[in-house]
Amino acid sequence: MERFTLAQAAAWTRGEARGEAELTAVSTDSRQIPEKALFLPIKGERFDAHDFIEKAVENGAAAVASHRRNEEYTVPALYVEDTAQALLDLAGGYREMCGGKVVGVTGSVGKTTTKELLYAVLKQKFNARKTEGNLNNEIGLPLTLFRMTRDTEVMVAEMGMNHFGEISRMTAAAQPDIAVITNIGTSHIEFLGSREGICKAKLEILEGLRPDGCAVFCGDEPLLWDKRGQLGCRVITYGMENDKCDLVAYCRGDGAFDIVNNSLPAETLPVGGRFTAKLAIPGAHNILNALAAAAVGLLLGETPEQIAVGLQSYEASGMRQNIYEQDGYHIYADCYNASPDAMEATLAVLGTMAPDGRRFAVLGSMLELGDYAEEGHRRAGRAAAQYADALYAYGPDADAMVASAKEKGMERAFAFDDQPALVAALRQDAQKGDALLFKGSRGMRMEQALKLFLGEDVEE
């Protein structure tokens, strides 16, 4: 992090600085205070980190922020109206001081994969950074921006949300030069009411777009396509089904695809030009994510060769889209999160696996669907019947998945409310050479079911 002063922090946050300090770090955790750090306490629903200010000072904080204007501290202090908003304002001021470009990424499904693909592509030419892990909320996004330096040429910043207004506040801090919207699905529909509401919430990312900024989004999504001329900014579209998009991909098989430039104004790929790229991860949905990264790369002046190298270099890791072989089984672990759209996409990938074996869909319930929960799980059940030979469903909505799968003719469909019972039945059924997909919302902890199946230690 670059050096800044408490006076600068006061200007960025419209706060009051009492005392002087030079700072090179910001922390929201009183237990982890780097050298020359500003401790910025956040008041949450269950606790107020202002109660730990003195502990942060004991741990070496060079200055503190506070909305308790009547309190005095033993180190220089920044007094603000609301420390949560101040964190965003501070990050916005710091981002502007550092310069460089920001590519903001949001969407219902695929935003993390798209973020990683963007980074893989952009680092071929630029000194690039990205959101680490899942730091994509109103605390994580500022911490991401604080990782910028004056040498950072491009920051890829992921923005997630559950409610209206969250992306609006984050994009005001990030001030993206390019805003990517991957799609409009049904994630968080419990809080946003409808897909139209979700679209409105995702489009908030454009509120912080720089004056000469550009929106990049999937033209296969009608809700986005129909709004492309109403957004008040330059719009670039990509797709696989809509051949009117600026950038279109055509599958060639084995992860390879052709990218055709219909109308994107790119110096390195003239209109009518094309090039071939390849991904190490499967699925047509990932080709769409790769197209988003390719569009941004072309907009920023990368060559098709740089883009192709970047795309092929990306490998999935952790609990996302991790395909491997173990103990004679083909394992597809995608346990980080789930929505009806993501379920359908991953089940389609399962349908291509283990040509000489059977395909097992081991699916946990999807959360935050509200009134859409039953239909969303029935969609997953229908997709399981289309792409899998057996369905093992777990969680509060497992019965809806199983009922729908059976209506579509799947005979081996079972519901469980206990993971050990599911795993015991699965072990009796699955054989070496079979493919098994483990997927569900984060709260269902389907990675635990996978570990149980493989005989690995499970965290309590």
Side-chain angles (χ1 to χ4, degrees), residues 225-265:
W225 178 259
D226 292 343
K227 290 179 173 61
R228 68 191 187 284
Q230 309 166 21
L231 301 177
C233 66
R234 179 183 176 195
V235 174
I236 299 296
T237 59
Y238 62 89
M240 296 176 67
E241 299 174 0
N242 183 352
D243 60 8
K244 295 180 181 178
C245 290
D246 297 297
L247 212 62
V248 180
Y250 299 92
C251 290
R252 300 182 62 176
D254 294 328
F257 52 97
D258 290 333
I259 296 177
V260 178
N261 182 7
N262 283 338
S263 49
L264 192 156

Side-chain angles (χ1 to χ4, degrees), residues 273-320:
R274 69 168 57 208
F275 67 99
T276 299
K278 189 171 184 179
L279 286 175
I281 52 175
H285 60 294
N286 283 318
I287 294 178
L288 281 174
N289 297 334
L291 266 182
V296 173
L298 290 169
L299 284 168
L300 294 181
E302 288 198 311
T303 66
E305 292 76 17
Q306 290 170 324
I307 293 168
V309 169
L311 292 177
Q312 191 161 10
S313 71
Y314 171 68
E315 295 181 358
S317 61
M319 291 185 286
R320 298 181 189 272

Side-chain angles (χ1 to χ4, degrees), residues 113-142:
T113 300
T114 302
K115 176 255 296 183
E116 295 291 343
L117 287 165
L118 277 160
Y119 175 70
V121 165
L122 295 175
K123 72 178 182 180
Q124 303 302 316
K125 179 176 180 177
F126 302 103
N127 179 3
R129 292 180 179 269
K130 63 174 179 175
T131 297
E132 294 296 338
N134 201 40
L135 294 176
N136 63 3
N137 60 17
E138 291 181 75
I139 294 177
L141 183 277

Side-chain angles (χ1 to χ4, degrees), residues 300-456:
L300 294 181
E302 288 198 311
T303 66
E305 292 76 17
Q306 290 170 324
I307 293 168
V309 169
L311 292 177
Q312 191 161 10
S313 71
Y314 171 68
E315 295 181 358
S317 61
M319 291 185 286
R320 298 181 189 272
Q321 303 184 79
N322 200 357
I323 297 178
Y324 57 96
E325 293 189 17
Q326 186 168 336
D327 299 341
Y329 298 100
H330 304 277
I331 304 295
Y332 185 5
D334 194 10
C335 305
Y336 191 81
N337 219 332
S339 68
D341 310 273
M343 281 288 196
E344 290 180 344
T346 51
L347 284 164
V349 174
L350 175 67
T352 67
M353 297 173 63
D356 298 323
R358 295 170 300 161
R359 303 173 182 91
F360 289 78
V362 187
L363 307 181
S365 292
M366 298 170 284
L367 307 179
E368 297 184 354
L369 294 181
D371 292 340
Y372 189 70
E374 181 172 357
E375 175 54 28
H377 285 89
R378 291 183 69 84
R379 275 180 60 189
R382 290 192 292 268
Q386 180 178 356
Y387 296 112
D389 298 296
L391 168 63
Y392 283 70
Y394 164 68
D397 295 289
D399 288 336
M401 275 193 275
V402 167
S404 180
K406 288 184 174 180
E407 287 171 6
K408 287 295 182 180
M410 176 180 271
E411 296 180 358
R412 301 193 60 74
F414 311 98
F416 299 85
D417 56 12
D418 177 76
Q419 280 196 0
L422 180 153
V423 170
L426 183 62
R427 282 177 171 167
Q428 293 293 318
D429 199 358
Q431 300 176 1
K432 308 294 184 182
D434 290 340
L436 295 89
L437 165 66
F438 289 79
K439 187 170 181 63
S441 278
R442 188 73 213 94
M444 303 312 299
R445 304 184 72 187
M446 295 307 292
E447 74 280 2
Q448 302 280 57
L450 173 56
K451 287 182 179 181
L452 282 173
F453 178 78
L454 295 173
E456 299 176 357

